[in-house]
């Protein structure tokens, strides 16, 4: 490899290494007396007709130092309204990942109501929760779990 090409390759590699992780923008969109549901709004834009949305289930009550929660990644085909779970991740009280399950199941019809229907509306109908957002789930918990 010659001078400029080698320098360009090194510069691109250095830039890639310095690029921060993907941003998160968690917004509360549903809750029960036991669980608060958040969606990462930065994952709702479909690419080639498929949105890969992440949402979280966070205990509605608990100490601010207990970061326990779980996330689910949901692939949604906007053309036919079908979806499938692609991954589930559980986090312990310290916020560290404790379990990860990757799934490659069949596409199923997404019900029009409930949590999955809400995610489909956010991704495929360009709707967004009209709520405050947090950069991380830990920030949401520290802020009183949305209260």
């Amino acid at each position: 490899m010659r001078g400029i090409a080698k320098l360009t390759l090194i510069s691109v590699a250095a830039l890639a290494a310095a690029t921060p992780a993907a941003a998160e923008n968690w917004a509360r969109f549903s809750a029960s007396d036991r669980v608060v549901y958040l969606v990462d709004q930065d994952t709702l834009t479909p690419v080639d007709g498929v949105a890969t949305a992440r949402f979280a289930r966070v205990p509605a009550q608990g100490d601010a130092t207990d970061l326990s929660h779980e996330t689910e990644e949901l692939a949604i085909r906007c053309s036919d309204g079908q979806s499938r779970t692609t991954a589930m991740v559980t986090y312990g009280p310290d916020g560290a990942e404790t379990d990860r399950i990757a799934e490659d199941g069949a596409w199923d019809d997404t019900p029009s109501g409930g949590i999955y229907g809400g995610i489909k509306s956010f991704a495929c109908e360009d709707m967004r929760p009209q709520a405050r957002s947090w950069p991380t789930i830990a920030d949401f918990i520290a802020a009183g779990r949305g209260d």
Side-chain angles (χ1 to χ4, degrees):
M1 202 178 281
R2 295 187 165 233
I4 292 180
K6 191 175 193 177
L7 181 59
T8 301
L9 181 60
I10 291 169
S11 297
V12 169
L15 180 60
T19 302
E24 295 177 348
N25 184 17
W26 294 96
R28 178 181 170 150
F29 71 96
S30 187
S32 71
D33 58 343
R34 299 184 61 193
V35 179
V36 177
Y37 295 91
L38 306 169
V39 64
D40 181 357
Q41 296 185 92
D42 289 347
T43 64
L44 295 174
T45 304
V47 175
D48 296 329
V50 177
T52 305
R54 281 192 322 151
F55 70 97
R57 294 176 191 89
V58 180
Q61 314 254 322
D63 189 60
T65 60
D66 184 353
L67 303 177
S68 300
H69 66 281
E70 61 184 40
T71 61
E72 184 172 338
E73 190 171 280
L74 185 67
I76 306 161
R77 284 193 312 220
C78 294
S79 62
D80 61 9
Q82 293 192 328
S83 62
R84 67 180 176 188
T85 297
T86 58
M88 294 185 73
V89 182
T90 304
Y91 298 86
D94 62 355
E97 185 177 312
T98 59
D99 193 25
R100 176 178 293 266
I101 301 169
E103 298 185 21
D104 192 20
W107 292 92
D108 293 315
D109 289 332
T110 307
S112 58
I115 300 303
Y116 296 99
I119 300 289
K120 182 179 89 174
S121 294
F122 298 150
C124 299
E125 298 168 23
D126 202 27
M127 299 174 71
R128 296 294 186 265
Q130 300 299 312
R132 178 178 170 205
S133 62
W134 293 267
T136 67
I137 293 172
D139 288 331
F140 169 77
I141 292 171
R145 300 175 189 261
D147 291 332

